[in-house]
Amino acid sequence: MDVRQRSMKPVNQGKGKAVLVDEPTKASDAILPPLYLTNGVFFTLFFSVVYYLLTRWREKIRNSTPLHVVTLSEIVAIVTFVASFIYLLGFFGIGFVQYHHQGRHSLRSLRCRYRLPPPPFQSSQGRPRPIIADPVLLSEEDEEIIKSVVAGTIPSYALESKLGDCHRAAAIRREALQRTTGKSLDGLPLDGFDYQSILGQCCEMPIGYVQIPVGIAGPMLLDGSEYLVPMATTEGCLVASTNRGCKAIYASGGATSVLLKDGMTRAPIVRFGTARRAADLKFFLENPLNFETLAMVFNRSSRFGRLQSIKCAIAGKNLYMRFCCSTGDAMGMNMVSKGVQNVLDYLQSDFPDMDVIGISGNFCSDKKPAAVNWIEGRGKSVVCEAIIKEEVVRKVLKTNVAALVELNMLKNLTGSAMAGALGGFNAHASNIVSAVFLATGQDPAQNIESSHCITMMEAVNDGKDLHVSVTMPSIEVGTVGGGTQLASQSACLNLLGVKGASKEAPGSNSRQLAKVVAASVLAGELSLMSALAAGQLVNSHMKYNRSSKDVSKASS
């Protein structure tokens, strides 16, 4: 079989046609031997030289020959052993060989096939312009893998471990999905993303990534420092509105914030034979004399996780134990879960009849609206306030203090009570929380409890100025782990000055991020309420949240 393969270059011939022409064959275009053959050779070499060296050393020991005296054949065997060991250590040689020989463009150095080109569109001069379709470049080996994935003989989830190349695995999975479903994924980008960075921590079985625009609101003057707040959103007006709120706060001297509490929670559920036994464990856990021992057991799980409190609730013979602990700069769900598991294992010796039903019993409560978070708090509890001057209310916000105070009472307080709201005594806190969460790599699902917020407005200074505040008891954020490690999200954290873990004061970066979230919510609440009071909401959305452009074919 000819190990060389000519590459084909598309050339535009006019009238929307494209032809393939031969390109000169390069040395880098050579195809490596099959991986199974290469791996087989190195496996054989490795075990052969190991057997040879062990045999030689045994003979030396029997003959009292010094081990450091080696012959030429033994030197060759040692070099072969080291080389084969390095190869096999590199993920059985797959990633190692592809990186050094095929490079990151292995998909683009081999044969190609074309999809049908889309119809021509108009150029900027009004004349039709032909489109040449992008080639789908697949090697013979990739083609066989795609067929195996489609047939189900190779699991799609195993491509990364089988190939050792995350980008190649995503490309193959994507093509297999298109063939299986018959649906095109042309609008979903594939290139330009580091798939290795999400392996084992952010997303499984990737086929591309979704683009969300990031805007900047600010500067936000908070506690004497300025912040430019990144917001990832597809809702028109949101960034502009928040930016107006930031302007009003800045012109009035800035906002101040206070961190009230910092502690992540996890609440396992255990069951006993009787309610009395469940109560015995409840009394044991809530006894202050036992807390030091329990904290020592809990704290073994992490350098930063420190147990703060345990609160229990009984339902019949079932006991719910709500552990709360500090977690440094991490959001901390995994950290607190490990500590809880340590305590459960410790309690099993004194309460052998305890049946652990689940490490989470929803008394935490994670990713669900819950009164326990609204009352007790979860993550970071923050209050943020500002006094907006009468002139700023009139010139920047285009309304007046009396109208804002009345609207807040009837909408955010009375209206939310009429709706039976749980932590939703605000105008649109979740809008800002979601946008900042997406930009900074937080868990979007935790927007639910993180958006618990009550917005208060009151006339001060003889009714001339406006005091506005937001109280948010359960902002769940971190600056390490999860999505915060991705390049784009890490850049947004860096913009805020809270990237990674703080070495000087562990936990200070995540606490500062929570304050920035609360201040951004304050700005968003102030601006939206002003638009509602002035009757500007509909006009603003018609201006900024509507477009006459057809962007459905932008990806083409």
Side-chain angles (χ1 to χ4, degrees):
M1 182 182 69
D2 186 6
V3 297
R4 298 176 302 163
Q5 191 164 3
R6 294 183 178 181
S7 59
M8 308 297 289
K9 177 180 180 181
V11 177
N12 187 7
Q13 296 293 318
K15 299 182 181 180
K17 297 180 180 179
V19 298
L20 296 176
V21 298
D22 289 347
E23 281 188 327
T25 302
K26 302 176 183 178
S28 60
D29 292 335
I31 301 176
L32 293 175
L35 287 177
Y36 73 88
L37 181 59
T38 306
N39 289 337
V41 169
F42 275 94
F43 264 115
T44 304
L45 283 174
F46 178 79
F47 289 109
S48 298
V49 297
V50 167
Y51 177 78
Y52 172 75
L53 290 173
L54 290 176
T55 303
R56 292 290 300 155
W57 288 342
R58 182 177 62 181
E59 292 176 358
K60 287 184 178 183
I61 293 173
R62 287 178 178 178
N63 299 331
S64 299
T65 304
L67 294 179
H68 64 273
V69 177
V70 293
T71 63
L72 179 61
S73 61
E74 290 172 343
I75 294 175
V76 173
I78 292 173
V79 172
T80 305
F81 167 78
V82 173
S84 59
F85 178 76
I86 292 175
Y87 178 89
L88 296 175
L89 189 63
F91 216 170
F92 295 105
I94 299 175
F96 186 84
V97 172
Q98 287 179 339
Y99 183 82
H100 287 279
H101 295 278
Q102 288 177 296
R104 298 189 179 274
H105 303 286
S106 59
L107 290 177
R108 299 183 177 180
S109 63
L110 303 168
R111 75 171 177 82
C112 66
R113 67 176 178 82
Y114 276 84
R115 291 195 185 99
L116 291 176
F121 62 92
Q122 296 293 326
S123 66
S124 57
Q125 289 78 22
R127 298 188 300 271
R129 187 174 67 186
I131 299 177
I132 301 178
D134 291 332
V136 178
L137 305 155
L138 299 169
S139 68
E140 295 288 351
E141 184 182 4
D142 290 340
E143 186 68 35
E144 292 301 319
I145 295 174
I146 291 173
K147 291 178 180 178
S148 298
V149 173
V150 173
T153 55
I154 295 180
S156 179
Y157 63 80
L159 287 174
E160 279 77 7
S161 59
K162 179 179 177 62
L163 301 176
D165 184 334
C166 293
H167 185 278
R168 182 184 174 203
I172 289 175
R173 181 182 296 112
R174 177 192 182 100
E175 182 63 23
L177 180 63
Q178 290 186 118
R179 296 185 188 184
T180 302
T181 63
K183 304 293 179 60
S184 173
L185 293 173
D186 284 346
L188 185 68
L190 174 66
D191 295 327
F193 188 84
D194 182 10
Y195 292 94
Q196 183 68 38
S197 66
I198 66 174
L199 182 63
Q201 69 172 1
C202 290
C203 180
E204 298 76 37
M205 298 194 290
I207 58 171
Y209 58 96
V210 173
Q211 297 168 307
I212 302 179
V214 177
I216 290 296
M220 163 66 71
L221 184 58
L222 174 64
D223 299 324
S225 300
E226 294 184 10
Y227 298 91
L228 293 169
V229 184
M231 302 175 67
T233 181
T234 57
E235 179 183 347
C237 279
L238 181 59
V239 177
S241 178
T242 307
N243 188 66
R244 183 174 75 149
C246 291
K247 179 180 179 181
I249 293 172
Y250 196 106
S252 299
T256 58
S257 63
V258 179
L259 183 80
L260 305 175
K261 188 178 179 182
D262 181 8
M264 182 50 64
T265 63
R266 175 61 85 197
I269 173 177
V270 298
R271 182 172 58 196
F272 289 88
T274 64
R276 178 174 293 279
R277 285 293 291 161
D280 289 341
L281 179 54
K282 174 180 170 16
F283 297 145
F284 177 86
L285 293 172
E286 294 180 345
N287 188 339
L289 298 178
N290 298 325
F291 182 80
E292 184 176 350
T293 301
L294 294 172
M296 182 176 64
V297 173
F298 184 98
N299 296 346
R300 285 203 301 257
S301 63
S302 169
R303 290 183 300 152
F304 302 104
R306 294 295 177 264
L307 184 63
Q308 297 174 342
S309 65
I310 306 174
K311 294 187 178 181
C312 301
I314 283 183
K317 58 182 183 178
N318 304 301
L319 179 65
Y320 298 82
M321 303 170 285
R322 193 172 193 258
F323 291 77
C324 182
C325 83
S326 60
T327 58
D329 282 308
M331 184 271 290
M333 284 297 302
N334 293 332
M335 192 182 300
V336 67
S337 296
K338 289 190 292 184
V340 168
Q341 187 63 57
N342 286 350
V343 175
L344 291 176
D345 294 340
Y346 171 79
L347 292 173
Q348 203 78 57
S349 59
D350 291 331
F351 295 87
D353 55 336
M354 179 180 71
D355 183 15
V356 179
I357 304 301
I359 197 164
S360 176
N362 275 8
F363 190 48
C364 313
S365 174
D366 186 41
K367 300 180 176 73
K368 291 166 284 292
V372 69
N373 292 337
W374 176 239
I375 298 170
E376 297 289 343
R378 188 171 194 256
K380 278 71 173 171
S381 300
V382 180
V383 59
C384 187
E385 64 180 347
I387 296 179
I388 310 302
K389 298 176 182 178
E390 179 186 24
E391 183 181 8
V392 174
V393 173
R394 186 178 68 255
K395 292 185 177 180
V396 177
L397 301 177
K398 311 299 182 183
T399 184
N400 60 79
V401 173
L404 280 172
V405 172
E406 181 182 31
L407 178 63
N408 186 73
M409 180 187 66
L410 294 178
K411 171 183 168 62
N412 289 342
L413 304 183
T414 308
S416 296
M418 293 291 291
L422 180 58
F425 297 88
N426 57 80
H428 70 150
S430 63
N431 244 342
I432 291 87
V433 172
S434 295
V436 178
F437 270 31
L438 290 172
T440 57
Q442 311 305 313
D443 189 338
Q446 290 183 323
N447 163 70
I448 296 175
E449 60 266 41
S450 296
S451 295
H452 282 180
C453 171
I454 182 169
T455 301
M456 303 291 292
M457 293 185 182
E458 179 183 351
V460 294
N461 299 330
D462 297 326
K464 294 181 180 180
D465 301 332
L466 175 72
H467 180 275
V468 56
S469 67
V470 292
T471 305
M472 306 179 70
S474 50
I475 302 177
E476 299 169 0
V477 293
T479 57
V480 296
T484 65
Q485 300 178 101
L486 300 179
S488 301
Q489 289 81 344
S490 180
C492 291
L493 288 171
N494 188 56
L495 177 66
L496 291 171
V498 295
K499 176 183 175 182
S502 172
K503 297 181 180 179
E504 293 77 15
S508 60
N509 279 355
S510 62
R511 290 191 288 268
Q512 187 59 44
L513 177 58
K515 291 181 179 181
V516 170
V517 171
S520 302
V521 170
L522 182 71
E525 290 286 282
L526 186 61
S527 184
L528 176 57
M529 292 295 289
S530 299
L532 289 170
Q536 300 171 339
L537 181 67
V538 174
N539 290 336
S540 298
H541 273 265
M542 292 304 296
K543 180 178 180 181
Y544 294 107
N545 203 18
R546 293 292 183 270
S547 175
S548 59
K549 299 178 182 178
D550 181 9
V551 295
S552 61
K553 297 181 180 179
S555 61
S556 299

